[in-house]
Amino acid sequence: MRKILMLCLILVWCFTLAACSSSNSSNNSDPASGTNDEKAELTLVWSKGDASDAQLKDILTEFNKLYPNIKVNRIEVIGSSWGDYFNKIQTMIAGGNPPDVIRVAIEGIQMFAKQDLLLPLDEYMAADPDALDNYDDIHKKLQSPFVIDGKTYGFVWDWNNVVMHFNTDKLKEAGLSLPPKDWTKDDFLTYAQKLTTEKDGKKTYGFAIPTYYFGASAWLFNNDASVLDDAMTTSKLDDPNAIELMQFFQDLIYKYKVAPVPNPKDDATQMLMNGQIAMMSAGKWPFSTYAKSKFTSVDVQFLPTFKTNKVIFGSGAFPVLNSTKYPDAAYKLSAFLGGVYSQKTTLSDASIPTRISVMKEVLPKTPASNWQVYSDSADIAKAVESPVQYADVESIFNRYMGLILANQSDAATAMKKAKEEIDQVLKN
């Protein structure tokens, strides 16, 4: 009887081990458990504005050559701003229908990471480094915003900065050449004045002021100012340097009369091509419109040096939500989308590649003689300030900047009020 009992116990123990082994082998949360034979179906949030259906099909065809059993379905989420876009993804998550991999810009990575919505990828990187397609090829400064508290939450896919765009026909008409890299605030004002003309009833303004957080922040950086402090815990908009820069923007319109009063319907890129303005500040994204319009009378240069010279940057990646049922497969997709093939397929016009090898190949094809500013600026770039409360900070800043540019408030009053509101948001 005791022998039979012992035999039963041994059999139960063996079945238990077998069950545990079976359970562990199918546990997708184990970074080492995934294989190229694993079947998975993933949802990817990625706008058609970033990658067309044809481009995505091309990318996924290459992806499936490596991982034939991973099916990827695109979900397109359209937002009026990054803040609106992020809110819609959060609504999907809260509604119990979270995607697996999402397109996130630097403006939202802190929010998603701090809310514990993302999957740290370091263990998967260690278990399957080949999926990264030479991680050392990624520009380290551009990758840095996606490494938070020592954990990696994505592989930077694209980036953009803010430089000056010139209508070269207008430069020639004014007898001006492209300014040097180290041109100054006084040089800029001189250019803006000489490029502001009126002929046969057609007005050309020297410059269009950037009326959005990212573009204005670039100019603040060059005046040794910023919206937030380094820790992103308080606003610095009451700093004299910040006030000085914003007052200068107002003066460009109402004192020097070299910039038009901003209109929400204005498209600075179209205005530059049409000759309504001669200069604007933007990243590489206008080159997509230039190409479609076959506009080639354009060149670029660093923004003028005020008190210093810095280049702002924003970047994007494809983090994995920690709610995914297929973390290993999602990691592979995230890594592939940040890889060389993906960047070559999608980033020739509107964005700048983050892979050093792709930058060297793609940027020389830019239809601007001074295209080197895009590659040179990566080494000196400073990330746009993107706290967890980014959407609210952006909204407050843009609102008060709008009052300044509409001449409804002086810069000092508006910036001090903006600081008070932003500080309250950051406390919450």
Side-chain angles (χ1 to χ4, degrees):
M1 185 68 181
R2 292 181 62 185
K3 289 182 179 180
I4 295 174
L5 180 59
M6 287 296 296
L7 180 60
C8 290
L9 289 173
I10 290 171
L11 288 172
V12 170
W13 179 64
C14 289
F15 279 121
T16 301
L17 284 180
C20 290
S21 175
S22 174
S23 175
N24 287 337
S25 67
S26 64
N27 181 2
N28 288 322
S29 65
D30 179 3
S33 69
T35 68
N36 290 0
D37 296 327
E38 177 190 14
K39 289 187 178 181
E41 185 166 353
L42 304 174
T43 53
L44 166 67
V45 174
W46 196 9
S47 166
K48 293 180 182 180
D50 282 337
S52 66
D53 286 334
Q55 288 173 324
L56 181 60
K57 182 179 179 180
D58 189 354
I59 291 170
L60 293 181
T61 297
E62 290 300 309
F63 176 71
N64 286 139
K65 289 179 182 178
L66 298 173
Y67 313 109
N69 292 324
I70 301 177
K71 181 181 179 181
V72 180
N73 302 308
R74 192 215 307 252
I75 298 174
E76 190 171 28
V77 175
I78 305 298
S80 59
S81 65
W82 278 120
D84 182 42
Y85 170 80
F86 299 145
N87 287 338
K88 288 180 178 178
I89 292 179
Q90 286 180 308
T91 299
M92 293 173 65
I93 296 170
N97 190 32
D100 297 285
V101 178
I102 57 177
R103 157 82 159 129
V104 170
I106 186 176
E107 288 89 345
I109 192 64
Q110 287 279 341
M111 176 189 70
F112 282 103
K114 298 295 186 182
Q115 292 179 357
D116 196 28
L117 296 172
L118 303 182
L119 180 71
L121 300 174
D122 304 271
E123 292 183 33
Y124 298 86
M125 295 165 65
D128 187 8
D130 291 342
L132 293 169
D133 190 15
N134 185 10
Y135 185 70
D136 291 336
D137 189 37
I138 302 175
H139 196 288
K140 295 297 182 288
K141 183 182 287 288
L142 305 177
Q143 170 66 7
S144 61
F146 298 93
V147 181
I148 301 171
D149 297 332
K151 296 179 181 180
T152 304
Y153 290 102
F155 312 106
V156 65
W157 166 69
D158 70 332
W159 74 286
N160 245 306
N161 57 13
V162 175
V163 298
M164 192 72 83
H165 290 234
F166 298 85
N167 181 316
T168 52
D169 289 339
K170 294 300 177 181
L171 285 179
K172 291 176 184 177
E173 290 175 11
L176 298 169
S177 58
L178 192 73
K181 175 181 177 179
D182 60 350
W183 63 319
T184 66
K185 177 180 178 180
D186 290 339
D187 295 330
F188 164 72
L189 186 55
T190 297
Y191 266 65
Q193 290 171 326
K194 289 184 176 181
L195 290 166
T196 299
T197 61
E198 188 167 0
K199 184 178 180 181
D200 299 329
K202 184 178 180 180
K203 179 85 172 186
T204 295
Y205 286 97
F207 177 64
I209 295 168
T211 59
Y212 54 101
Y213 181 90
F214 184 71
S217 291
W219 287 79
L220 286 169
F221 285 0
N222 271 14
N223 206 44
D224 199 22
S226 58
V227 177
L228 306 175
D229 66 345
D230 290 342
M232 295 191 293
T233 57
T234 188
S235 173
K236 292 181 62 180
L237 287 176
D238 62 339
D239 183 281
N241 289 349
I243 293 171
E244 178 184 59
L245 187 279
M246 300 308 296
Q247 187 59 54
F248 180 69
F249 273 180
Q250 188 182 63
D251 289 344
L252 290 176
I253 301 173
Y254 301 101
K255 178 180 178 180
Y256 300 110
K257 302 186 185 302
V258 296
V261 177
N263 186 317
K265 296 181 180 179
D266 286 345
D267 182 330
T269 301
Q270 289 293 336
M271 293 172 72
L272 187 84
M273 293 191 298
N274 296 339
Q276 295 170 270
I277 57 172
M279 296 185 290
M280 71 170 184
S281 54
K284 195 171 181 291
W285 61 85
F287 279 93
S288 178
T289 303
Y290 298 156
K292 292 176 183 177
S293 302
K294 297 182 180 180
F295 178 73
T296 58
S297 300
V298 63
D299 214 338
V300 292
Q301 184 55 283
F302 287 96
L303 294 185
T305 299
F306 281 39
K307 289 182 169 61
T308 185
N309 196 304
K310 299 176 183 177
V311 179
I312 196 170
F313 83 88
S315 52
F318 296 90
V320 177
L321 291 183
N322 59 17
S323 56
T324 181
K325 296 178 181 178
Y326 306 102
D328 184 76
Y331 156 71
K332 289 179 169 66
L333 177 60
S334 176
F336 189 85
L337 292 175
V340 170
Y341 190 86
S342 173
Q343 292 189 20
K344 284 185 178 181
T345 303
T346 58
L347 295 178
S348 59
D349 290 327
S351 296
I352 313 171
T354 56
R355 294 274 180 162
I356 297 169
S357 62
V358 185
M359 276 196 232
K360 291 179 179 179
E361 180 179 340
V362 169
L363 289 178
K365 300 175 184 177
T366 304
S369 64
N370 199 30
W371 58 266
Q372 291 94 339
V373 300
Y374 289 112
S375 54
D376 292 348
S377 65
D379 294 330
I380 62 172
K382 177 182 177 182
V384 60
E385 295 159 332
S386 307
V388 173
Q389 306 90 341
Y390 170 80
D392 290 332
V393 172
E394 177 195 38
S395 176
I396 293 167
F397 175 81
N398 287 348
R399 174 159 44 86
Y400 280 101
M401 183 181 181
L403 294 177
I404 294 170
L405 299 183
N407 209 26
Q408 295 178 8
S409 174
D410 63 277
T413 300
M415 289 296 94
K416 289 176 181 177
K417 289 182 178 179
K419 172 191 165 52
E420 292 174 1
E421 287 194 32
I422 290 173
D423 282 349
Q424 189 60 46
V425 164
L426 293 175
K427 286 180 182 179
N428 295 334

